[in-house]
Amino acid sequence: MLLLGVAVLVEFFPLEGLEAYQDRSAPELVLGRDEVTSRNAALIRMGLLKMSHKFCEPEDLAAFSEEAVALFKQPCPAPSAALLEQGSPPSTALLASRVAALPADMVVVSIVCRSSELFDPDHGIVTHPLEHNREAERPAWFSAWQNSRLLIESPIGLRVHGGHSRTLPAKSFALRFREEYGGRETGPAGLFFGAEAPPVRELVLSNADHPSRFNAALATEIATLAGCKVSRCVPAIVYLNGTEIRSPFFIYEHQSPDFVQVGSGLQTWTGSA
């Protein structure tokens, strides 16, 4: 009740500089004036919701362990404190400083997850990549940019994804949309894969560091040209906690029961994509 009272108070008396989720976001964003309740918007602005823009401090994102360097192919230093002091999700704040020097048509992804959730020896999902299901999911922020505009900013559940690739240093990730993090159960329709693409509950960031992963993307393209219904994919550059993962990535629609039932995403081929 106390939080609800604060939310109502802030809704009618917003604080200067904390209006990002109410006024800045475009309707197509998962979090924004048209896609989040006024109560949650107020709680987010106050930093009272779990996935607020006050999600982390710079030191929470630094990573120099052996597992981190194996993933990034470089250390992951703490970002500038000034970037995280903006009234926007940390994934968006860290992305904005990167996109100007990148190709305009390239999809650029930014994920922010506390380094302890990734690399802690006891419970980090990267240090324990063989764990599955919700126990192996961690809260994170996800933003993406293409053609000089922000495509999405949303809280997500972040998991390590894959089969044999889980044992390799270059990890793939699954991004799961969930209301419990303050967002929605799906991403917006038309995200990444064209206007006809349906909303998705989960996206896969497939790390193509090994040549076989490029073969999977090529096989998907060939199967599409042959008339098969398969997961669509687009190439992407991925930043995690403000540092680039120096591997090529592809964003895939996740092949799930929902994916099969939607209709426009029916798949008849279940290869390595």
Side-chain angles (χ1 to χ4, degrees), residues 58-239:
E59 57 271 20
D60 295 329
L61 304 184
F64 304 96
S65 67
E66 180 180 343
E67 292 82 3
V69 173
L71 173 66
F72 289 101
K73 299 187 176 71
Q74 60 180 323
C76 177
S80 165
L83 291 175
L84 295 182
E85 291 170 359
Q86 301 178 34
S88 61
S91 54
T92 301
L94 297 182
L95 179 63
S97 66
R98 299 290 190 175
V99 294
L102 297 171
D105 59 346
M106 176 62 69
V107 174
V108 185
V109 168
S110 174
I111 300 170
V112 167
C113 182
R114 295 181 186 88
S115 288
S116 60
E117 304 276 36
L118 299 170
F119 305 113
D120 184 270
D122 295 324
H123 68 267
I125 60 174
V126 174
T127 50
H128 297 274
L130 299 183
E131 295 183 1
H132 291 71
N133 303 319
R134 290 293 297 277
E135 293 74 18
E137 181 177 297
R138 299 292 184 269
W141 273 104
F142 164 53
S143 300
W145 182 277
Q146 186 182 35
N147 294 329
S148 301
R149 72 186 187 98
L150 188 63
L151 299 180
I152 184 172
E153 54 185 10
S154 174
I156 57 163
L158 181 68
R159 304 182 185 187
V160 172
H161 179 84
H164 172 70
S165 65
R166 290 173 178 267
T167 66
L168 303 177
K171 300 292 189 288
S172 297
F173 296 97
L175 315 179
R176 179 63 187 254
F177 295 95
R178 295 192 189 279
E179 286 185 354
E180 68 190 68
Y181 297 132
R184 296 176 70 84
E185 284 294 302
T186 67
L191 181 65
F192 299 131
F193 308 115
E196 76 286 356
V200 294
R201 294 180 181 272
E202 188 170 333
L203 293 165
V204 174
L205 277 178
S206 180
N207 189 311
D209 197 56
H210 191 276
S212 65
R213 308 310 297 171
F214 278 99
N215 294 342
L218 179 59
T220 299
E221 183 69 17
I222 293 172
T224 301
L225 294 174
C228 300
K229 301 298 183 181
V230 299
S231 295
R232 286 163 280 204
C233 70
V234 295
I237 296 172
V238 176
Y239 287 84

Side-chain angles (χ1 to χ4, degrees), residues 44-63:
I44 288 169
R45 294 199 305 276
M46 287 296 293
L48 297 177
L49 195 67
K50 184 176 183 180
M51 300 300 295
S52 77
H53 68 282
K54 300 178 181 179
F55 176 65
C56 57
E57 299 296 331
E59 57 271 20
D60 295 329
L61 304 184

Side-chain angles (χ1 to χ4, degrees), residues 10-15 18-26 31-34 36-39 41-42 44-45 87 153:
V10 176
E11 185 64 27
F12 290 98
F13 302 97
L15 299 180
L18 293 178
E19 72 283 352
Y21 296 92
Q22 189 172 37
D23 298 324
R24 183 177 60 83
S25 295
L31 280 184
R33 181 172 47 198
D34 299 300
V36 68
T37 66
S38 59
R39 173 183 177 276
I44 288 169
R45 294 199 305 276
E153 54 185 10

